[in-house]
Each structure stands twice: as C-alpha cells, then as structure tokens.
Amino acid sequence: MTDRRSFLKTAAAAAASAIAAPGILSVSSCSPAGGSRAANQDSTGGLIVPKAQGLKITGTFLDEISHDIPHQNWGEKEWDADFRYMKSIGIDTVIVIRSGYRKFITYPSPYLLKKGCYMPSVDLIDMFLRLAQKYGMKFWFGLYDSGKYWDTGDLSYEIEDNKYVIDEVWRMYGEKYDSFGGWYISGEISRKTKGAIDAFHALGKQCKDVSGGLPTFISPWIDGKKAIMGTGKMTNDQAVSVAQHEKEWNEIFDGIHDVVDACAFQDGHIDYDELDAFFTVNKKLADKYGMQCWTNAETFDRDMPINFLPIKFDKLRMKLEAAARCGYDKAITFEFSHFMSPQSAYLQAGHLFDRYKEYFNL
C-alpha cells in the first residue's frame, strides 16, 4: 500500500513534469477515440470552421469619455503600444467616440471650458491625431455629447454646443494634421427620435462645410430583442420587426443622406439568427441612398449578466461573417482598447485578439 509521503512525492514529480513540459496533460484524458487530440489540431488552435470568411475589422472607436466602462488610465506610452497592436491587424481608422460627455472633455475646448466643463489633464485629441499620423491611420472626430438628449429624448439639443465645437476643432487640429480624416456624429438613436433627422442633417452639413467635404458617419442601434439597457427586463418585448426597421430607417436616410456618408449600425441588439435579415435591409437602404454600409461589430458581450466583458470569439465571428455575406463595406468595432487589446485591463481581451488573428491568418 502506498503511504501518504510516497503519494505526495509521486504527485510532486508529476506536477514538476507538467510544468516543465506544458501541454502534455491537455492531450491525455480528453483525446477523441482513435487518436490523440494533437493529431487533429493545427498550429493555430485547430479551428474546425473555414477561416477568414468574415469581414475584417479595419476601424475602432476610442472610448476615453465613457459613462459605462472603466478607464484604463493610459498615458501616451500605452496608447502608442495600442495603436501598434491595432496596426498589426489592419486597423486603418480610429474614431474618438465623443469629444466630451457632460462636463468631462477630451481636449482644452475654449468654448466648453467657458460653459463649465472640466479641464482635462491631457489633450487626447492632439495625441490621437499624432499617433494616427505616426501609424498611417485616419482619425475621425466624435462630436460633443451634452447629455441633454439622454435626459430629454430630443436630439436637437446637441446642435447648439456643437456649432462651436466643430468650428474650433477644425481650427485647432483639422488644419494642422493630415490624419484628420472625418467626423462622427455621436448621437446614438435606434428608431424615429425627436429631432434626429434635423440634428443629423445640421451637424453633418456643418462638419462638411467647415472641412471641405470630409466624410461623416453615424452609428445607431437596432431596437431588437437585446435592447434592454435601463429597462430592467431580460428581453425587449417591443422589439422592432425587420419591416418596421426598414420603414423607419428609409425615412431617416432620406432626410440625411446628402450630408451623412456612412451608417454603422451597432450589431449587438439582435440575435445571431437575425443578423442576415437586418443586415440585408441595412445594405439595401444604404445602396438606395448612396451611403456606405458599415457594421459596428461590438467586441463586448451583451449576453452576459455583467456589463461589459469581452465577447466570446464565436459570437464575433458570426457577426463578421454575416457582414461579409451581406456585402458590407467596412467593419469597425466598439472597441479595441478595452475588449480586444493584448494590454487591456480585461485578460480575456488579449485572448480574443489571439483568436481573431488565428481566424484571419494574421
């Protein structure tokens, strides 16, 4: 009979062997019948689905003014490294999601500081523009969000402050940096919203007029079954139908297409088996009005009870494959730095980065 001391010695030796030769234990007890697990795997993790069938992510939001995900408190050293990671997988477009939210702002805006906003410790807009220039990317400027729309449901409130913000930002940065590539009209809507068409049109026109016609885009959300934030419900029992979605967005696109160049619908509010139906409508409407059809491929998981964690890779893969099937023009994400970066505060983000690279053979 083996005594306790002999057993512990044997166990310790086995543990030491496992540490010295990682991976040995992974093929011993979980092998399929008829051969080792290792024999059925390739060097990139053994994906059993066809690779590179999705639309590659070539753009990302930069979220440094947020109210629902934590700041990572990066300085320029960390941001430089992140731009390097972005570049390594083909990202060529970075979009600051909003230049300010209520009293917190990303740059020392003369106008917003006079309105009572807080002085930022770093000029993030200047830094992002410099890094975009360094890495051969285009930077898109997200407009100021006063918060009044979220309080009132009326998007027209955002016009007044942004009249000044658009002009001063172009003077401060647009004429200085070649990397200044466009504008993001940051109001997030899902359906017919009070003042939306007039606000999008007024803001889009001013952005284009001041910058000599640089492109603009919006990133609304689909009022699907997962559109439950703030409702206290598990699912949205008033989810929009595909036909109603098409009817409402046909009206919105009709009113803004001359000053809004692209629409990147957020893809996380509908279920995975609904992607093709909604995506087909989005592409059909964009083509009808001469707009670019982008997808905002969210890299955080809306199916979890905890807000917000990096998404399961298969969910991201399915969304990008649907975008490719439907002929979308570009995929951007919200957002690389928190949910996909190897240096994110979330450990899972770096693993998502690795799975994404394996899938696209990067």
Side-chain angles (χ1 to χ4, degrees), residues 24-32 37:
I24 290 176
L25 293 180
S26 67
V27 299
S28 59
S29 59
C30 300
S31 301
R37 197 174 130 200

Side-chain angles (χ1 to χ4, degrees), residues 179-253:
S179 54
F180 197 114
W183 306 85
Y184 170 53
I185 304 171
S186 57
E188 294 181 30
I189 68 171
S190 64
R191 303 176 72 168
K192 293 171 65 176
T193 298
K194 185 178 180 181
I197 293 176
D198 290 342
F200 282 158
H201 195 278
L203 295 170
K205 185 177 187 306
Q206 186 181 351
C207 288
K208 284 185 163 295
D209 287 348
V210 77
S211 63
L214 286 182
T216 64
F217 86 100
I218 58 174
S219 186
W221 44 286
I222 300 168
D223 196 18
K225 63 178 65 175
K226 298 183 191 178
I228 57 172
M229 289 297 293
T231 66
K233 300 177 181 178
M234 295 302 292
T235 59
N236 178 12
D237 54 11
Q238 301 294 320
V240 71
S241 68
V242 176
Q244 187 65 19
H245 172 77
E246 181 174 6
K247 180 177 181 293
E248 292 175 353
W249 279 96
N250 181 71
E251 181 180 341
I252 295 169
F253 280 11

